Every structure is written in C-alpha cells, then in structure tokens.
C-alpha cells in the first residue's frame, strides 16, 4: 500500500505535533514542508523527514494531503488553494474567520472530491468520548462549562485580533464546538462580554438553550491563570453529576449517597490525551476508506457561526435564536 504523502503548511507548534504523529503512522509519511520562515521547516525536516519546499505550489506537487497549520487568518485562503490543487485537506481550527469567508470555504470544501477535516481535536480526546458515551445512557438536564486561558501572549499573534479574529476564535471555539458534539443543536443564546487586559473583549458569560430543551452556562476568560483545570464541563442529570477536568479526569457521581467513579487519562501521553493521535488517524482512515471525517467542513462552519453569534449577541444585547 502506498503511504499517504502529507504536506504541511506552517511548521510551528501544532504543525510539529501533527508532523510527529503522521511520521509514526505506518500508513502516512511527511513528504513536504513549507513555512514562510524556512528555518522552521528545516528544523521539522530534521526530526521527521520531508522535503523543505520553497512555495505552496512545490509542496502540493509533493503530497496527497495538506495540513493547514498556520495562524487563523490564513486558513481560508490556504485551504481553498489546497482544495483547488486537488488535495485532501486537514484545516486547523478555526475553520475560517467571519461568516462570509466561512460560507465561501464551506462551499469549496463540500464540492471537493477529497477529504476535508477540521482540527477540533477535543472530539477525539478520550475524556470527551467517554462523556459522550455516558450521556447516551442518561438524559442531561443542564450543565456548567468553562474554558479559560492564562494569557494571550504566546504565540505572540494570539493577542492580535487581526490574526486570530478575536479570543473566541482562538481558544473558546474548541468548547463551542464541544457543545454541539455533546448536547446537539443550539436553539438560542444570550451573551455578555467585557474588556480588561487586552484590546478586545476578553471575558465572556454565555447562556445556551438547545433544541431539545437542555440548557447550560458557559464562562470563558482569556486573562485568568493557567490554574488547573482551565477547561471543565459539569453535566447534571437525574441524581447524577458528570464532571470533566481538563482532558485528564472524568468523575461520574451517581445517586444520592455521593458514590463516584473516576476515569483518568493523566498518565496518557499528551498527544493521545488531547485527541491529536486519533484525530490524525481519522484523517488517514477517511482518505483510505473514502469516508466522512468526524469533524466536517460543516462542523467547522457551525463553530464559526457560533462565535459570530456570541459576538453579535454581546453587541446587540439581544437573545439570538437559530433557525
Ligand atoms: N487544535 C489545537 O489544539 C491547536 C493548538 C494550537 C494551535 N492551533 C491552531 O493552529 C494554528 C497554528 O498555531 P500554532 O500555535 O502552531 O502557531 P505558530 O505560530 O507556532 O506556528 C505557525 C507557523 O505558521 C507559519 N506561517 C505563518 N503564515 C504562513 C503562511 N502564509 N504560509 C506558510 N507558513 C506560515 C509561521 O512562520 C509559523 O511557523 C492556529 O490557527 C491555531 O489556532 C490549534
């Protein structure tokens, strides 16, 4: 069997995470690397191999599938270019910035003959897969969700809204996507936001109501601390609380006498614990088996729509209903 040749555009932090995973999968090889800072591509090539290319065009000539692992604002243009070149595409989150670009990329992705997968890795994290499994056997009534960051300083562009599209696109979008994955489609939301440490809205409180009546509160701060767990979901069911801490633990507490069971992935390697290994395996599976990935372009589009809706709800002060 021929290995799937992976080409990586952007060999920074997350490009290297994916590079080492694809290099380990016997069904794929890192064939090409392109970065506007060539020394970064050269460094990656030293550890996982692959041809350091001088342009995207040269990279596309050397690969079957393209990873878009550049800063947020570049995703739409690079992903569209890769689809036009006939490549399978793995596009890191966010899918796009703004509804207009997101619609354009959705149409391009849906007309592509190749696979188009979006990098919402948390769907593949064992802790969130377990939560989804447990919620199949019980009906969730409500939840409290938080997703914080300690700073918007590293990488340096994370504090620049011209690059990120705003904090919600950079970090919070992970758990906004998780809302739909765990609890289904959203019917309406209200949101409040304020500005403190950075020249953008950096603190958020959101109230969601879902189509099946489930509802939840959602808090997200970009200027909290890195105190563990900076992301957490607490779900309340019939005399039952299911609690996730980061991607390390899930505590399932049932009945009225404080019984609980703990599941832990704390000792699991980070690339697996955060879902990256299964996410990348799923990309190769989808290419080889011609199947749809778990996180599609439509999911990517919906996560952008959610971000934009939260910003709009804050701006207008109105409750917004989804069609
Ligand atoms: N899914 C996740 O858990 C996760 C984690 C981190 C980052 N991300 C996302 O991945 C993307 C990259 O983040 P990062 O932390 O790796 O950033 P980074 O700054 O570490 O790396 C980005 C790389 O892209 C290169 N680059 C910039 N513009 C380019 C262009 N037009 N063509 C080619 N190369 C270009 C930069 O030189 C840099 O090496 C962002 O969109 C971020 O939101 C996702």
């Amino acid at each position: 069997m021929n290995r799937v040749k992976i080409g990586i555009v952007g060999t920074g932090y997350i490009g290297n995470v994916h590079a080492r995973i694809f290099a380990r999968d016997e069904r794929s090889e890192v064939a090409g690397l392109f970065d506007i800072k060539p020394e970064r591509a050269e460094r990656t090539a030293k550890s996982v191999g692959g041809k350091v290319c001088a342009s995207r065009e040269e990279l596309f000539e050397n690969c079957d599938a393209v990873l878009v692992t550049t800063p947020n604002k570049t995703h739409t243009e690079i992903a569209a270019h890769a689809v036009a070149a006939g490549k399978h595409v793995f596009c890191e989150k966010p899918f796009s910035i703004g509804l207009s670009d997101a619609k354009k990329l959705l149409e391009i992705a849906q007309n592509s003959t190749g696979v188009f997968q979006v990098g919402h890795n948390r769907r593949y994290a064992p802790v969130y897969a377990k939560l989804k499994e447990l919620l199949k056997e019980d009906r969730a009534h409500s939840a409290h969700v938080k997703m914080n960051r300690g700073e918007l300083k590293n990488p340096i562009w994370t504090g620049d809204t011209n690059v990120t599209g705003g904090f919600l696109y950079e970090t919070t979008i992970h758990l906004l996507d998780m809302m739909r994955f765990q609890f289904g489609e959203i019917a309406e939301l209200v949101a409040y936001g304020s500005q403190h440490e950075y020249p953008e809205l950096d603190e958020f409180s959101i109230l969601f109501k879902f189509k099946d009546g489930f509802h939840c509160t959602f808090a997200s701060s970009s200027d909290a601390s890195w105190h563990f767990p900076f992301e957490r979901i607490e779900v309340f069911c019939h005399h039952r609380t299911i609690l996730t801490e980061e991607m390390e633990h899930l505590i399932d507490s049932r009945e009225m006498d404080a019984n609980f069971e703990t599941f832990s992935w704390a000792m699991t390697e980070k690339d697996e614990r955060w879902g990256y290994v299964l996410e990348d395996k799923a990309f190769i599976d989808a290419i080889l088996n011609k199947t749809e990935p778990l996180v599609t372009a439509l999911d990517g589009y919906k996560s952008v729509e959610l971000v934009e809706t939260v910003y709009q709800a804050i701006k207008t002060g109105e409750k917004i209903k989804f069609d």
Side-chain angles (χ1 to χ4, degrees):
M1 182 191 73
N2 287 336
R3 291 178 174 203
V4 177
K5 291 191 171 126
I6 302 286
I8 306 180
V9 186
T11 49
Y13 168 69
I14 202 72
N16 277 285
V17 170
H18 294 299
R20 63 176 178 255
I21 295 170
F22 284 114
R24 281 200 306 251
D25 189 329
E26 60 186 17
R27 302 167 308 156
S28 59
E29 66 181 287
V30 177
L33 307 157
F34 171 65
D35 197 293
I36 49 168
K37 294 190 174 159
E39 65 278 12
R40 294 194 175 181
E42 277 154 20
R43 198 171 52 210
T44 303
K46 276 193 192 126
S47 73
V48 295
K51 181 176 184 199
V52 175
C53 300
S55 65
R56 259 190 252 159
E57 287 74 12
E58 187 189 351
L59 179 88
F60 294 168
E61 278 166 22
N62 285 283
C63 67
D64 311 309
V66 173
L67 311 188
V68 182
T69 48
T70 48
N72 305 1
K73 74 163 181 195
T74 60
H75 292 181
T76 306
E77 196 264 316
I78 298 175
H81 188 190
V83 171
K87 305 297 161 190
H88 303 287
V89 174
F90 174 93
C91 178
E92 258 306 340
K93 48 59 63 174
F95 176 67
S96 227
I97 294 174
L99 280 178
S100 152
D101 271 8
K103 273 183 195 143
K104 217 183 330 170
L105 187 56
L106 178 64
E107 200 182 326
I108 290 169
Q110 289 186 328
N111 287 323
S112 163
T113 49
V115 171
F116 194 107
Q117 184 171 326
V118 183
H120 286 296
N121 56 300
R122 278 159 176 76
R123 289 191 182 208
Y124 298 92
V127 71
Y128 290 127
K130 185 72 189 174
L131 176 61
K132 192 164 172 68
E133 181 195 315
L134 294 176
L135 290 178
K136 265 194 208 143
E137 69 189 40
D138 212 333
R139 185 168 182 273
H141 298 169
S142 68
H144 180 58
V145 179
K146 86 159 179 191
M147 175 140 214
N148 285 349
R149 252 185 96 105
E151 35 69 22
L152 291 180
K153 292 178 189 291
N154 185 24
I156 190 78
W157 55 261
T158 53
D160 182 351
T161 55
N162 292 321
V163 180
T164 61
F167 169 63
L168 293 182
Y169 275 109
E170 183 39 31
T171 301
T172 320
I173 197 165
H174 278 297
L175 283 205
L176 291 176
D177 173 69
M178 187 55 60
M179 297 295 88
R180 289 186 55 246
F181 182 56
Q182 298 291 348
F183 308 124
E185 294 301 330
I186 292 161
E188 57 189 50
L189 64 86
V190 287
Y192 300 92
S194 53
Q195 188 197 337
H196 303 270
E197 301 300 323
Y198 298 102
E200 61 168 308
L201 292 176
D202 51 19
E203 202 94 14
F204 298 83
S205 301
I206 313 166
L207 203 49
F208 287 107
K209 187 172 170 205
F210 288 69
K211 292 205 163 137
D212 67 354
F214 172 86
H215 48 89
C216 77
T217 56
F218 190 117
S220 190
S221 166
S222 66
D223 55 358
S225 71
W226 287 117
H227 188 268
F228 182 91
F230 44 86
E231 80 187 58
R232 174 163 61 195
I233 300 183
E234 286 177 87
V235 188
F236 313 114
C237 309
H238 178 75
H239 296 299
R240 183 177 189 185
T241 299
I242 309 173
L243 166 74
T244 65
E245 290 185 323
E246 203 60 40
M247 282 164 273
E248 309 214 349
H249 305 291
L250 183 148
I251 297 162
D252 183 10
S253 155
R254 300 168 190 233
E255 305 306 335
M256 281 164 275
D257 50 4
N259 278 327
F260 70 91
E261 193 175 359
T262 303
F263 301 85
S264 176
W265 292 271
M267 300 300 282
T268 307
E269 189 219 6
K270 184 180 174 190
D271 292 350
E272 284 192 32
R273 190 168 76 236
W274 281 51
Y276 298 127
V277 172
L278 283 181
E279 172 181 56
D280 291 350
K281 183 177 176 298
F283 185 53
I284 301 297
D285 288 344
I287 292 170
L288 296 178
N289 306 329
K290 299 187 177 11
T291 50
E292 196 168 75
L294 178 62
V295 194
T296 62
L298 182 61
D299 292 314
Y301 172 82
K302 292 215 167 207
S303 65
V304 171
E305 183 183 50
L306 256 177
V307 166
E308 287 296 324
T309 308
V310 171
Y311 279 126
Q312 192 195 345
I314 293 166
K315 206 162 142 194
T316 61
E318 286 170 7
K319 181 194 316 183
I320 301 193
K321 293 183 190 241
F322 288 81
D323 295 334

